[in-house]
């Protein structure tokens, strides 16, 4: 049995979702030879700590009752203090300076703690620095959950397609904007109206500007270009246009051509081209997937075009990606 | 630099395609830290041997000139004789008794040689025996290339989705029958006519019965069920119906319902249900992909539905899968 002590930093929907799945899959994981113990849970307002493994269910119930955490400690205090194998960073993404996530990640790596993260910000602003810090301290970092939710895209390319040279990647990388476009098209209703509804349903966040202005998609492109295509690009290298100017009329015009409109992110290594923009997509093409689905088309020298799609967001789906990274690190390091 | 000595058994389009890609990607693979040497190439009529690495280009040219191999030796003679790390088995598939592939694979494993194969037959008739033999002799077997051509399906599920429990798999697993149905639909022409044309184009083999009668799809389902879903099933457990009775008229009727007809393979663990049959698929569903494409929908407990598609056949595309298995084994064993 391989055991690993895990700290979860950030206990919003993603962090709590992961903790729940680890508790729920305890027996399944034991059959596969893994014993995962969550030893700390930290959020902005405090921490829970138990080196023998926390009782996840009672902590989630406690949070639902609105009670405070037991310890007034922050993530940075606990990194040097607690014995842990993997720190899972899932605080909210900040693509301006990457913090607080970047700080958490670099401090963990420097302390010899492996990191798994769902947080795009740190990877967008400091991909190279993070990778170099991990290498120098002989620890690993997994970031499958930063792009494409449940789609095992990054590990797929790094692992199973590593004999291939990736020449281009394009796809739908933001579930919220895909949901809005799909609804606008199907119900012939205005952008503003659908956005409001998506917010009420919890599909869009209160501030949905990252999603609808293409910022989220552009951030993901930067991560994909740097990590899978051997490029060295920054957010500023991406040409970005969102979906805020799409009207039901433009969708009708697209329909007459047998097409719909999708927010497409594209990276081509040749010419260092990175672009996010609404594009006409014929109905019979894979990229016409609807709802909150994400889809990615990978173009390689040997395999040709491989397309993969799945749920792009959601705490449960993101847990699949986080868990996959966690088990990779346990196999490699623990 | 990790080096590996490779033998290729079966020098038809797949074997020759792999040898060509290994030669072509020599520098790319060296940058990634791999030095792959093809030390033997064996076909039914003889072998080429060079423990320092064969010159692939000159062997392919020699074959094109219709010249014989240099040595009158068979695969089984060479397994004990030649120093090799990985035997790549790509002789034609035989799902009745698995031979000659099964014999090659078991002999290699018993001699402590790792195996990579594109040959479905041995896996369909003796999955358990092959896995037990590999384990007992402390060697590995990779069989990504047996299902889905360039789609890295098996390693995706075994690796990146291994925290997930796979409850069902369904998809289009045969490119030839998909090509025929797509053409029949688009051109409103008869099955027999399109089949003949596919044979002329090299998309269908002279004896296409495995493809059009659903036997190839059923074989792949058996491999997926046993290897990814923890089942223990045989070919006889699959209910099989092919596409030979589909008429242009039935495709027209489907069209009126906004659907097309696809040859779908399905496995559900609950109830041990394995089935291959032509099904109505709405145009806007991922499974409606056309041409020779393959597509697989994987249903899991945590990630939800993940869909992956790509080229299902072709020597170059199959090389991507074989190479991925080869590099996995080199990392693990060499």
């Amino acid at each position: 049995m391989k055991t690993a002590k895990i700290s979860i930093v950030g206990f919003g929907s993603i962090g709590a979702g992961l903790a729940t799945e680890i508790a729920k899959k305890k027996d399944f994981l034991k059959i596969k030879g893994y014993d995962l113990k969550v030893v700390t849970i930290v959020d902005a307002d405090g921490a829970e700590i138990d080196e023998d493994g926390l009782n996840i269910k009672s902590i989630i119930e406690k949070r639902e009752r609105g009670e405070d955490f037991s310890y007034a400690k922050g993530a940075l205090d606990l990194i040097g203090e607690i014995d842990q194998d993997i720190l899972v960073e899932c605080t909210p993404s900040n693509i301006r300076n990457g913090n607080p996530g970047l700080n958490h990640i670099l401090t963990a790596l420097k302390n010899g703690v492996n990191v798994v993260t769902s947080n795009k910000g740190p990877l967008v602003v400091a991909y190279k620095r993070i990778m170099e810090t991990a290498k120098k301290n002989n620890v690993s970092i997994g970031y499958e959950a930063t792009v494409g939710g449940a789609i095992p895209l990054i590990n797929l390319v790094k692992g199973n397609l590593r004999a291939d040279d990736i020449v281009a990647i394009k796809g739908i990388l933001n579930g919220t904007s895909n949901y809005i476009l799909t609804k606008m098209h199907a119900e012939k209703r205005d952008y503003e109206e659908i956005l409001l509804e998506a917010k009420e349903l919890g599909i869009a966040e209160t501030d949905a500007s990252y999603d609808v202005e293409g910022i989220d998609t552009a951030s993901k492109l930067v991560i994909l270009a740097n990590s899978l295509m051997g490029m060295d690009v920054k957010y500023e290298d991406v040409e970005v246009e969102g979906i805020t100017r799409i009207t039901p009329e433009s969708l009708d015009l697209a329909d007459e051509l047998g097409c719909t409109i999708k927010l497409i992110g594209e990276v081509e290594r040749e010419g260092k081209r990175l672009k996010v923009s609404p594009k006409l997509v014929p109905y019979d093409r894979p990229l016409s997937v609807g709802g909150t689905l994400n889809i990615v088309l990978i173009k390689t020298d040997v395999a040709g075009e491989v397309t993969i799609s799945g749920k792009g967001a959601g705490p449960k789906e993101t847990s699949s990606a986080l868990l996959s990274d966690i088990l990779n690190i346990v196999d490699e390091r623990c």
Side-chain angles (χ1 to χ4, degrees), chain A:
Chain A
M1 187 73 67
K2 301 174 211 169
T3 61
K5 295 184 171 185
I6 293 169
S7 293
I8 298 178
V9 177
F11 205 62
S13 65
I14 301 292
L18 173 66
T20 305
E21 285 303 321
I22 290 177
K24 223 161 79 182
K25 295 194 79 109
K26 202 162 190 61
D27 294 339
F28 178 86
L29 290 170
K30 279 206 171 149
I31 292 168
K32 298 217 164 188
Y34 301 98
D35 184 16
L36 307 183
K37 275 195 181 73
V38 179
V39 294
T40 47
I41 286 175
V42 202
D43 207 355
D45 61 333
E48 295 290 343
I49 305 165
D50 187 339
E51 300 216 15
D52 295 325
L54 290 161
N55 182 330
I56 304 296
K57 203 169 158 239
S58 74
I59 293 172
I60 288 176
E61 284 168 5
K62 196 172 154 182
R63 294 296 277 179
E64 282 169 356
R65 289 195 302 270
E67 288 175 36
D68 286 344
F69 276 129
S70 308
Y71 298 88
K73 297 216 175 206
L76 295 176
D77 307 324
L78 290 170
I79 288 169
E81 219 171 84
I82 299 286
D83 178 24
Q84 57 199 324
D85 302 301
I86 301 170
L87 181 138
V88 183
E89 220 294 332
C90 27
T91 63
S93 192
N94 162 358
I95 63 152
R96 274 174 243 295
N97 62 19
N99 280 320
L102 182 56
N103 230 325
H104 296 156
I105 289 173
L106 290 174
T107 309
L109 295 174
K110 283 177 194 158
N111 276 273
V113 176
N114 302 289
V115 172
V116 167
T117 186
S118 60
N119 187 344
K120 284 178 295 293
L123 275 300
V124 173
V125 303
Y127 178 80
K128 233 177 162 175
R129 195 169 153 211
I130 291 171
M131 295 306 138
E132 283 166 5
T133 309
K135 199 172 171 191
K136 205 171 136 192
N137 294 279
N138 196 29
V139 285
S140 295
I141 170 150
Y143 49 94
E144 180 66 73
T146 59
V147 184
I151 308 177
L153 174 66
I154 290 168
N155 294 333
L156 172 87
V157 176
K158 282 194 163 183
N160 309 324
L161 289 176
R162 75 186 183 291
D164 281 70
D165 194 17
I166 313 298
V167 296
I169 293 179
K170 74 172 171 180
I172 299 173
L173 296 167
N174 182 273
T176 304
S177 55
N178 200 26
Y179 173 87
I180 294 171
L181 290 175
T182 306
K183 275 267 177 185
M184 283 175 71
H185 194 157
E187 301 175 5
K188 305 198 179 299
R189 284 160 61 205
D190 274 344
Y191 166 77
E192 294 295 344
E193 214 179 309
I194 304 279
L195 176 60
L196 202 69
E197 194 181 278
K199 283 181 186 175
E200 280 163 10
L201 288 168
I203 289 168
E205 295 177 56
T206 321
D207 177 6
S209 56
Y210 267 36
D211 297 316
V212 297
E213 286 169 13
I215 299 166
D216 176 71
T217 301
S219 304
K220 288 165 177 168
L221 284 187
V222 171
I223 295 175
L224 294 177
N226 287 336
S227 65
L228 304 182
M229 298 172 72
M231 296 169 77
D232 181 12
V233 296
K234 296 184 302 294
Y235 184 86
E236 292 70 34
D237 295 317
V238 193
E239 198 185 319
V240 188
E241 189 191 333
I243 61 164
T244 53
R245 292 189 304 175
I246 305 290
T247 58
E249 291 70 35
S250 53
L251 284 158
D252 277 346
L253 279 172
D255 190 60
E256 284 172 26
L257 299 167
C259 294
T260 186
I261 296 173
K262 295 291 180 190
L263 185 64
I264 302 290
E266 301 167 271
V267 197
E268 276 169 30
R269 195 170 49 204
E270 185 102 2
K272 204 176 144 182
R273 208 173 137 267
L274 292 99
K275 193 175 175 184
V276 178
S277 63
K279 290 218 158 192
L280 286 177
V281 177
Y283 291 131
D284 60 355
R285 296 295 305 160
L287 290 185
S288 67
V289 295
T292 60
L293 282 176
N294 281 19
I295 184 161
V296 186
L297 192 155
I298 305 147
K299 200 170 161 188
T300 95
D301 60 340
V302 184
E305 289 186 357
V306 174
T307 309
I308 181 161
S309 75
K311 289 187 183 143
K316 189 170 161 144
E317 290 76 16
T318 306
S319 294
S320 168
L322 292 169
L323 268 171
S324 159
D325 276 345
I326 289 170
L327 299 189
N328 279 345
I329 288 176
V330 175
D331 279 348
E332 205 184 325
R333 305 275 182 181
C334 299

